[in-house]
Amino acid sequence: MQNLEQTKQSQFNIMFFTIKILALFFCAAPLFQFFFKDNTEGTLENINFAAIIISLVIISIITFMWVIMDYNRRRMKFATLIEIVVFFGVCFASIMISGAYASYYKFLFIFLVVSYTIEAGIKPGLAIALTSSAVIILLDTILYHPQGVNLYFQADIALSAMYIVIAWILGFYTRLERQHIAELQLYVNLDGLTGVYNHRYFHDHLKVKCEEAVKENLHLSLIMLDIDYFKIYNDIYGHQQGDDILKQVATIIQENLRPTDVICRYGGDEFVIILPKTDRETAIKVANDLRQYIADFEFPGEELLPDHSFTISLGVAEFNGENDSALELINRADSALYRAKFFKRNRVELYASIFDQFKSLKHASGAGMTSVKSLITIINSRDNYTYNHTERVITLLPNLRRLYRIGRQ
């Protein structure tokens, strides 16, 4: 979906760029007419080829600069402003060459007004319209010297009004369209029941955050949480009241997150929280705080649950940089959540891999360890339950060793 939106935006950018290039050449037409005005006999001898070549070179350079600026627009802060100034300069030069206050090409500013009002909005459009109006009015008042009524001034007052009206109307409808698109995108990205972001937005946003973390060398963590005994609550009170619980849980979590954190509904009674610029230690603290908030809140009907209260289980995983991926991060958080659910719920578990445990063991290298890792990987692909059981055994090994030493003493 995100790729589709990027493709559409790219098509719009190409369309606007093409329109502006064509408008630029149209505005430069009076410059070419100026160099052909003395060719009354229609012979090639009277054509000023040097001037034509210089004009073409200048227009080509402007076009090339325009292409570069348009390509780097996101990185160049003043690219759009420079682009408008260049466009405005070409229009102004064409008007001055073709007669200044008496020019028939004063309407050329309309291309500038229309193009940038649609692309940039009502404020830039009105600014360009007012500037264009001021220029043609000043030409009439400063350069016009004949006695009598200034007919050019009267016509240009109407032209100025047209600039402003077009900029205001186009800008107003452009603003409405953008607001409407923003609202539609918001509805598409939100979960209809809880009001938090949905599953689709979660995957798109997490992918973006993973790319940012790799590019800028930032920490990134993920929390996956599940409501304990939610199925039992649904069976007792029905799905409608269960939906109310989901809304309350989502609201409590959202109100107690940091501004940069993003909560999404993953599915059913599962939620995920993306924590940008957050290491695993901070993520564990955030998860424990959320767990406590839910445990302390009094939900209706929670006294009939096995633990007589609503609780959540949470799994935490941290992104591992360029050798990691969004999908692997989700799988690790899900695995940590599974472990939290297994250990009597209402707890936070940090993802710990069985392979990470092997790294701390002596002689954990060589062909023998490679064979063990291959065997564990095969177990995971064939029987996930046995793999998770193996991970739990490995996790408990240090405690078993400690108990064994205490017993021998």
Side-chain angles (χ1 to χ4, degrees):
M1 186 69 178
Q2 187 181 17
N3 292 334
L4 180 61
E5 291 174 359
Q6 292 175 348
T7 302
K8 289 181 179 179
Q9 186 61 44
S10 177
Q11 291 174 347
F12 277 117
N13 292 339
I14 292 172
M15 180 187 70
F16 282 124
F17 179 76
T18 305
I19 290 173
K20 287 185 291 186
I21 288 294
L22 294 175
L24 178 66
F25 278 97
F26 186 83
C27 292
L31 297 174
F32 294 103
Q33 289 182 357
F34 175 78
F35 296 119
F36 281 93
K37 67 180 181 180
D38 294 329
N39 188 19
T40 55
E41 299 178 1
T43 58
L44 294 175
E45 290 81 2
N46 296 325
I47 299 177
N48 190 341
F49 285 104
I52 293 175
I53 292 173
I54 292 173
S55 301
L56 289 174
V57 169
I58 292 173
I59 294 296
S60 299
I61 292 174
I62 291 174
T63 304
F64 178 75
M65 290 172 58
W66 211 326
V67 171
I68 297 299
M69 286 189 296
D70 192 80
Y71 180 76
N72 297 290
R73 178 171 294 187
R74 291 184 179 179
R75 287 180 291 176
M76 295 176 61
K77 187 175 181 179
F78 299 104
T80 302
L81 180 60
I82 296 172
E83 194 176 281
I84 293 173
V85 170
V86 171
F87 204 156
F88 195 92
V90 172
C91 292
F92 181 75
S94 297
I95 292 171
M96 293 299 294
I97 288 175
S98 59
Y101 67 86
S103 175
Y104 290 102
Y105 288 97
K106 295 176 184 176
F107 68 89
L108 290 177
F109 285 125
I110 201 69
F111 292 104
L112 197 63
V113 172
V114 170
S115 298
Y116 289 99
T117 301
I118 294 175
E119 185 179 18
I122 188 170
K123 290 183 178 179
L126 284 174
I128 295 170
L130 291 171
T131 305
S132 303
S133 300
V135 167
I136 63 175
I137 295 299
L138 286 173
L139 289 178
D140 293 333
T141 55
I142 295 174
L143 299 181
Y144 185 84
H145 298 297
Q147 299 296 322
V149 178
N150 188 344
L151 299 178
Y152 297 107
F153 183 80
Q154 294 178 356
D156 290 340
I157 287 292
L159 188 61
S160 300
M162 184 179 69
Y163 290 160
I164 296 172
V165 169
I166 289 175
W168 185 81
I169 293 175
L170 279 179
F172 178 76
Y173 280 103
T174 300
R175 177 186 291 175
L176 286 180
E177 181 192 15
R178 290 178 178 176
Q179 289 175 350
H180 183 61
I181 291 174
E183 289 174 0
L184 290 177
Q185 288 178 338
L186 183 63
Y187 288 132
V188 167
N189 291 328
L190 292 181
D191 176 59
L193 177 64
T194 60
V196 301
Y197 289 110
N198 58 22
H199 187 274
R200 185 191 71 84
Y201 179 85
F202 162 67
H203 283 283
D204 291 342
H205 191 67
L206 182 62
K207 184 178 178 182
V208 171
K209 289 301 177 183
C210 287
E211 292 172 355
E212 289 180 1
V214 171
K215 184 178 179 180
E216 302 178 19
N217 194 26
L218 300 173
H219 288 288
L220 174 66
S221 295
L222 184 68
I223 297 175
M224 184 171 287
L225 65 93
D226 180 270
I227 302 176
D228 298 328
Y229 302 115
F230 184 71
K231 185 178 183 304
I232 296 176
Y233 189 88
N234 263 341
D235 292 339
I236 296 173
Y237 296 103
H239 290 282
Q240 185 172 356
Q241 194 160 336
D243 289 344
D244 293 336
I245 294 298
L246 287 175
K247 295 177 187 177
Q248 286 181 296
V249 169
T251 300
I252 294 170
I253 294 172
Q254 197 167 28
E255 289 177 349
N256 290 282
L257 288 177
R258 302 169 302 177
T260 55
D261 300 336
V262 177
I263 177 175
C264 309
R265 187 182 179 192
Y266 195 68
D269 59 332
E270 286 187 340
F271 296 87
V272 284
I273 304 168
I274 303 172
L275 296 88
K277 301 179 182 179
T278 305
D279 57 22
R280 66 182 69 185
E281 289 77 16
T282 306
I284 291 172
K285 182 181 182 306
V286 171
N288 271 312
D289 290 342
L290 294 176
R291 183 192 63 79
Q292 195 62 50
Y293 290 138
I294 298 297
D296 293 341
F297 192 86
E298 294 184 4
F299 292 92
E302 63 182 3
E303 63 276 0
L304 295 182
L305 294 176
D307 293 333
H308 307 296
S309 65
F310 255 112
T311 57
I312 56 174
S313 298
L314 306 96
V316 178
E318 185 179 11
F319 187 64
N320 294 327
E322 60 182 352
N323 295 323
D324 203 355
S325 69
L327 183 59
E328 291 176 354
L329 177 61
I330 295 171
N331 289 336
R332 292 199 301 274
D334 185 59
S335 178
L337 174 61
Y338 179 86
R339 185 178 298 158
K341 298 288 284 187
F342 179 82
F343 286 117
K344 297 183 180 180
R345 301 174 171 83
N346 189 24
R347 61 184 292 129
V348 175
E349 282 289 329
L350 174 67
Y351 173 79
S353 172
I354 188 172
F355 298 122
D356 295 337
Q357 297 291 334
F358 280 138
K359 292 178 183 178
S360 62
L361 299 178
K362 295 181 179 179
H363 312 296
S365 60
M369 184 53 60
T370 302
S371 300
V372 172
K373 290 182 178 180
S374 300
L375 178 60
I376 293 172
T377 303
I378 293 172
I379 292 173
N380 183 32
S381 62
R382 298 295 181 87
D383 188 351
N384 186 256
Y385 175 81
T386 303
Y387 173 78
N388 289 322
H389 174 70
T390 306
E391 279 206 323
R392 291 192 295 272
V393 171
I394 291 294
T395 303
L396 293 173
L397 275 178
N399 295 330
L400 293 175
R401 291 196 197 98
R402 198 158 37 263
L403 291 173
Y404 177 73
R405 286 196 297 270
I406 293 173
R408 292 194 63 180
Q409 292 173 358

